[in-house]
Amino acid sequence: MADPPMDAPSITYELAEILSQTQVNKEISSVMRLRVGEIRVIVQGASLSDWQKDEIADKVRAAYPVPENTYRLYKLIFLPQPPGIVVCYTGMEKEEGSFTVATEEFGGKNTPVYYLQLEGQAYTYYWYELLNGGRASMESVQTFTEDLTEEFRQEYPGVEAVWRQQSLVKGY
């Protein structure tokens, strides 16, 4: 698995190129690098059969824009004034766009929501924290969680919730 260039001159050059292309002449507040570790699909619906749940999960996985045996990386560049700049690597392909962050109720608590625009495609990701290994370990995993429920309501009337979670590892 090849990673994008991460040495200091490459990062500096890449950031300078992105900033000049977007005509942003402001200081960078911070940069957050995230690598997608695992994709999880959660399907809920009491009236759905197991095969319907599996069928929905297969469709969600098939629609994920990352081929098997490759990776996805996000670089979020926070600027003093929104929007920020997002660079997304899928394998060796690079997409650029913008993002904003807001707070919404999700899972019974106020949660950061990242609104990404990548080359004409809009994504809404809830920054959600999962406990990994149960309560005893208290080890947490951050995820970008997408609510895909509306995409399946017409075809599967019994669907209550469909979520795609990208578990995230900070840094790469």
Side-chain angles (χ1 to χ4, degrees), residues 1 37 56 60-61 96 101 107 122 131 165:
M1 168 178 355
I56 293 169
V60 170
R61 284 187 194 90
E96 298 175 8
V101 182
L131 292 179
Q165 293 182 323

Side-chain angles (χ1 to χ4, degrees), residues 1-6 34-39 64-74 88-95 166 171-172:
M1 168 178 355
D3 288 328
M6 286 294 108
L34 304 167
R35 178 176 48 86
V36 177
E38 175 187 6
I39 303 299
Y64 185 67
V66 179
E68 283 190 51
N69 302 319
T70 191
Y71 58 88
R72 186 163 209 177
L73 307 171
Y74 295 97
C88 180
Y89 296 95
T90 303
M92 293 306 292
E93 294 183 27
K94 179 171 96 173
E95 296 177 88
Q166 302 174 62
Y172 53 81

Side-chain angles (χ1 to χ4, degrees), residues 47-150:
S47 66
L48 294 175
S49 66
D50 286 342
W51 71 265
Q52 286 175 310
K53 290 178 183 178
D54 290 344
E55 186 175 66
I56 293 169
D58 289 344
K59 288 179 180 182
V60 170
R61 284 187 194 90
Y64 185 67
V66 179
E68 283 190 51
N69 302 319
T70 191
Y71 58 88
R72 186 163 209 177
L73 307 171
Y74 295 97
K75 184 186 304 181
L76 301 171
I77 303 167
F78 293 84
L79 302 173
Q81 297 294 317
I85 298 168
V86 62
V87 182
C88 180
Y89 296 95
T90 303
M92 293 306 292
E93 294 183 27
K94 179 171 96 173
E95 296 177 88
E96 298 175 8
S98 63
F99 74 95
T100 57
V101 182
T103 302
E104 291 183 15
E105 187 174 319
F106 179 73
K109 62 182 180 178
N110 286 335
T111 303
V113 182
Y114 287 75
Y115 298 98
L116 278 62
Q117 290 285 331
L118 283 167
E119 298 186 3
Q121 184 71 22
Y123 300 92
T124 300
Y125 293 138
Y126 294 87
W127 182 262
Y128 194 67
E129 190 168 5
L130 301 174
L131 292 179
N132 200 16
R135 292 181 190 266
S137 77
M138 296 305 282
E139 185 179 318
S140 66
V141 174
Q142 283 76 35
T143 68
F144 270 163
T145 300
E146 297 172 87
D147 183 354
L148 303 174
T149 307
E150 292 307 315

